[in-house]
Amino acid sequence: MSRRRQEPDSGIESLSADEQDLEASCEEGAGCAAGCAEGCAEELPAGESSSESSSSSSSEDDSDTEESDTRRSDEEQEKKESQPDRNESGGVNCLPHCEHCRNENAQREQVTPRRLAGGQYLLKLDADGTYQCSVTGLIFEVTEAVTISYSLLSWSKYAGLVKPPWVVGGPLFDVHCKAASALTSIAFPHSLCLGDGDSHPAFKVLHIKDAGAAIEPSMDYSASHVRWLVSSLSPVGPLIRSEEPLLYHGAVVLYKAVDGDPSLLFRVYVATNNESFIKDIAKAVKHSKKKFIKIDKPPVCQKLLQKGKRYRLLCEPEAEVTPEEIEFVDGSLLKLKSYIEVYLEKHEDFTLSLIELESEAVVWKAKLRESDWIHYDQNKNELKRNAGSIKRRKSTNSFSEEETHCGKKQRSNSATDGIKTMNLLTDQQLMAIAKLFGAEWKEVAIECLQMEMKDIQQIQAKEQEVNIQKFLLLSKWREREQSNGTAQNLYSRLSEKVSYDIVQLLEGFMAQ
């Protein structure tokens, strides 16, 4: 995979006294294991961290012919873009769309890991060789059959350990292997564009250990990866130092606010193509006071992003865009993730374009239609109608016995309609899910389904068979959720915490 071998290095570069002091303040995560809990990323509108004023975006009037050409161009571009794979955070696994990067096509075996609770991945390799994870992009070189577990971490938690002139080069991972000596090297994906080979950046890795953190040399690098010879296993991620301006593969991630307001409100995140960064964005949105859904559009920027350059987000037809302009920085180390807010009063199709101000080049573009989020809104409205109908009937207390019987029948019919509409999970489906749960099922039930320990203990006291215990717990959750005891609801609660097998099963139920 080598594009250019690193210059000979004397060895590990220890942190300075100042860095060690900063590291001590982060010791909570210094020896972080794969299942350690990360701090929640917070969000901050881009306008609050810059001096730009908020105002409505403006766009030039185009002729009918130009509008028609633009519409065709939008549709062709979206068709051309392949849909990216999802990761456990609801983000996307973005591959570089760069002419320079496409020049290198090393042949290596692609392997798909099993997804475990807590966002961990498990990979069982049957023989020696070089393997690439199809989800994260990590490349493992092993000398024998091994089992490797790994998880994606947040750089912001270790921000105090990354000191100038070093900057983040790619995602941060915590890797573990039962036979550590058999895992000889790991290649980490990076988010930089190295151009035609004229640039000479220095790549190293930050290795966070129990005893502290150190900057260790990399073995070599390519247009897409940084390879590191394994010294020991704990959180590791690539760093880069360059005398030239850094060019990043970028991604634009969209979220839509879900509320009763008839207007439209979106958050637009401009990020480096770094899975740690994108996972932080998903966390920030999840912990926002407002509820958001992710809008699936091709995220990869068609032009490179450069630190310090200014970019403008345009909306056609015109909308309120705040801020109108941003200065790009890699926000991997920042706990507050900046975003651009887009507000439209009317429900109508619109186009968003990210423009580099200096060259006026289109960096990213997407057409958004009501169909991109209408299914979620329809499901939400159906739930509201069912809940409102039941509430209105309960508010009347002057029923005769016959009317009460009739009312019960109506409630039954209404519930049946809701079940048909929302695909209420059946006993057979719940049992299939229960059989796939591992030893972590109690933790998942408490953390994700808001069940209580006493519920679990009561079930265990009545039933000895473990799969039946899991089934009864899921049934209790379905009963509590009433008309919202659906595959979609269970998927939204469990997708980040359970195995990939359960995620696939729930996706199959939703498709029925």
Side-chain angles (χ1 to χ4, degrees):
M1 80 166 244
S2 177
R3 173 192 180 101
R4 182 181 293 109
R5 190 173 183 85
Q6 292 284 95
E7 294 298 322
D9 199 293
S10 59
I12 296 175
E13 179 178 321
S14 300
L15 295 175
S16 66
D18 291 340
E19 289 170 320
Q20 290 173 355
D21 290 339
L22 285 168
E23 190 276 333
S25 68
C26 299
E27 65 181 3
E28 169 193 351
C32 180
C36 72
E38 298 178 38
C40 297
E42 302 173 51
E43 67 277 6
L44 180 71
E48 293 184 20
S49 59
S50 62
S51 59
E52 284 81 39
S53 61
S54 302
S55 61
S56 300
S57 67
S58 61
S59 57
E60 298 179 0
D61 294 331
D62 300 319
S63 65
D64 292 341
T65 303
E66 289 172 326
E67 290 178 357
S68 177
D69 291 342
T70 301
R71 190 178 300 111
R72 282 198 300 272
S73 175
D74 293 341
E75 293 172 355
E76 288 170 3
Q77 180 175 335
E78 289 189 27
K79 287 179 183 177
K80 226 164 89 175
E81 291 284 357
S82 59
Q83 288 296 327
D85 296 330
R86 294 183 180 279
N87 60 23
E88 83 288 348
S89 66
V92 288
N93 301 309
C94 310
L95 298 178
H97 278 235
C98 176
E99 293 178 3
H100 302 304
C101 296
R102 288 175 183 153
N103 292 336
E104 297 191 4
N105 261 328
Q107 296 297 318
R108 58 182 68 91
E109 186 174 347
Q110 295 282 320
V111 287
T112 301
R114 180 184 175 190
R115 299 192 185 191
L116 304 177
Q120 295 185 67
Y121 297 95
L122 184 69
L123 201 57
K124 293 186 177 181
L125 304 177
D126 298 329
D128 66 315
T130 303
Y131 303 86
Q132 181 167 12
C133 172
S134 62
V135 177
T136 64
L138 284 173
I139 300 173
F140 302 104
E141 185 179 3
V142 299
T143 57
E144 61 184 66
V146 294
T147 298
I148 305 171
S149 63
Y150 46 102
S151 58
L152 188 66
L153 302 181
S154 170
W155 272 108
S156 61
K157 186 173 182 178
Y158 305 102
L161 304 179
V162 182
K163 308 293 291 183
W166 296 102
V167 297
V168 170
L172 179 70
F173 286 94
D174 192 13
V175 182
H176 294 269
C177 181
K178 291 182 179 179
S181 60
L183 179 56
T184 57
S185 74
I186 304 173
F188 300 90
H190 66 73
S191 52
L192 282 301
C193 177
L194 304 183
D196 55 10
D198 290 336
S199 60
H200 301 279
F203 277 106
K204 291 195 178 184
V205 299
L206 180 68
H207 192 182
I208 303 166
K209 311 175 188 180
D210 289 334
I215 297 177
E216 297 183 1
S218 61
M219 182 179 183
D220 54 26
Y221 64 89
S222 72
S224 58
H225 286 76
V226 180
R227 187 152 69 108
W228 169 68
L229 289 180
V230 176
S231 56
S232 62
L233 293 174
S234 55
V236 180
L239 300 177
I240 186 172
R241 180 180 64 192
S242 177
E243 301 299 325
E244 303 167 4
L246 294 175
L247 298 175
Y248 292 89
H249 298 296
V252 176
V253 188
L254 302 172
Y255 288 89
K256 177 188 177 294
V258 179
D259 51 31
D261 198 313
S263 59
L264 299 175
L265 182 66
F266 294 84
R267 285 186 181 180
V268 181
Y269 290 86
V270 181
T272 57
N273 199 337
N274 175 339
E275 281 299 327
S276 288
F277 194 165
I278 293 171
K279 181 179 180 180
D280 279 353
I281 290 172
K283 280 190 173 184
V285 173
K286 183 178 179 180
H287 292 90
S288 172
K289 292 181 180 178
K290 287 188 176 182
K291 184 173 180 60
F292 287 84
I293 58 169
K294 186 176 179 299
I295 303 299
D296 287 322
K297 289 293 174 182
V300 179
C301 293
Q302 301 306 303
K303 300 290 183 182
L304 299 171
L305 300 176
Q306 183 174 331
K307 179 182 177 181
K309 282 198 171 183
R310 301 194 66 80
Y311 298 84
R312 172 176 292 171
L313 186 69
L314 299 180
C315 182
E316 176 61 37
E318 188 173 338
E320 292 183 23
V321 179
T322 309
E324 287 186 324
E325 298 177 10
I326 60 168
E327 180 179 317
F328 176 74
V329 294
D330 177 14
S332 299
L333 296 175
L334 303 176
K335 201 164 188 178
L336 302 178
K337 305 301 182 186
S338 298
Y339 60 86
I340 303 171
E341 186 175 270
V342 179
Y343 174 81
L344 297 95
E345 290 187 353
K346 298 179 181 179
H347 277 244
E348 57 184 339
D349 296 352
F350 62 97
T351 300
L352 291 177
S353 304
L354 186 67
I355 309 296
E356 181 189 291
L357 286 182
E358 183 179 340
S359 65
E360 297 187 350
V362 176
V363 175
W364 171 89
K365 191 172 186 178
K367 178 85 170 182
L368 280 81
R369 307 173 181 86
E370 192 173 10
S371 59
D372 292 326
W373 59 83
I374 191 63
H375 296 301
Y376 181 92
D377 289 343
Q378 285 175 343
N379 291 343
K380 181 170 173 287
N381 290 335
E382 182 65 31
L383 285 175
K384 283 185 174 180
R385 284 196 294 271
N386 289 341
S389 177
I390 293 172
K391 186 175 181 180
R392 283 194 297 273
R393 285 196 294 274
K394 284 185 176 180
S395 65
T396 303
N397 55 14
S398 59
F399 291 128
S400 66
E401 184 174 349
E402 182 179 354
E403 289 171 332
T404 302
H405 176 75
C406 181
K408 288 181 179 178
K409 186 176 180 180
Q410 288 176 347
R411 283 195 293 273
S412 176
N413 290 339
S414 177
T416 302
D417 292 340
I419 290 169
K420 289 178 181 177
T421 303
M422 296 299 297
N423 298 323
L424 200 67
L425 284 163
T426 66
D427 286 351
Q428 291 75 18
Q429 290 173 329
L430 290 183
M431 179 56 79
I433 297 168
K435 289 180 178 179
L436 293 178
F437 268 115
E440 76 288 347
W441 67 278
K442 298 174 191 176
E443 290 87 345
V444 172
I446 294 171
E447 182 180 353
C448 303
L449 303 183
Q450 283 72 54
M451 306 301 291
E452 297 183 3
M453 194 62 199
K454 66 179 182 180
D455 297 324
I456 299 174
Q457 292 171 342
Q458 288 172 358
I459 290 172
Q460 289 180 317
K462 295 177 182 179
E463 178 58 53
Q464 297 299 316
E465 211 282 309
V466 177
N467 282 336
I468 300 298
Q469 292 174 2
K470 301 172 191 175
F471 167 76
L472 292 174
L473 191 74
L474 289 170
S475 297
K476 189 175 183 68
W477 170 82
R478 180 185 60 185
E479 180 182 353
R480 187 191 68 197
E481 294 293 311
Q482 297 182 3
S483 61
N484 201 23
T486 65
Q488 176 65 50
N489 187 16
L490 192 60
Y491 175 87
S492 67
R493 292 171 179 268
L494 299 183
S495 59
E496 294 185 18
K497 294 293 183 180
V498 297
S499 69
Y500 189 53
D501 294 335
I502 295 178
V503 171
Q504 282 188 313
L505 186 61
L506 286 169
E507 287 176 347
F509 292 158
M510 288 189 291
Q512 292 177 2

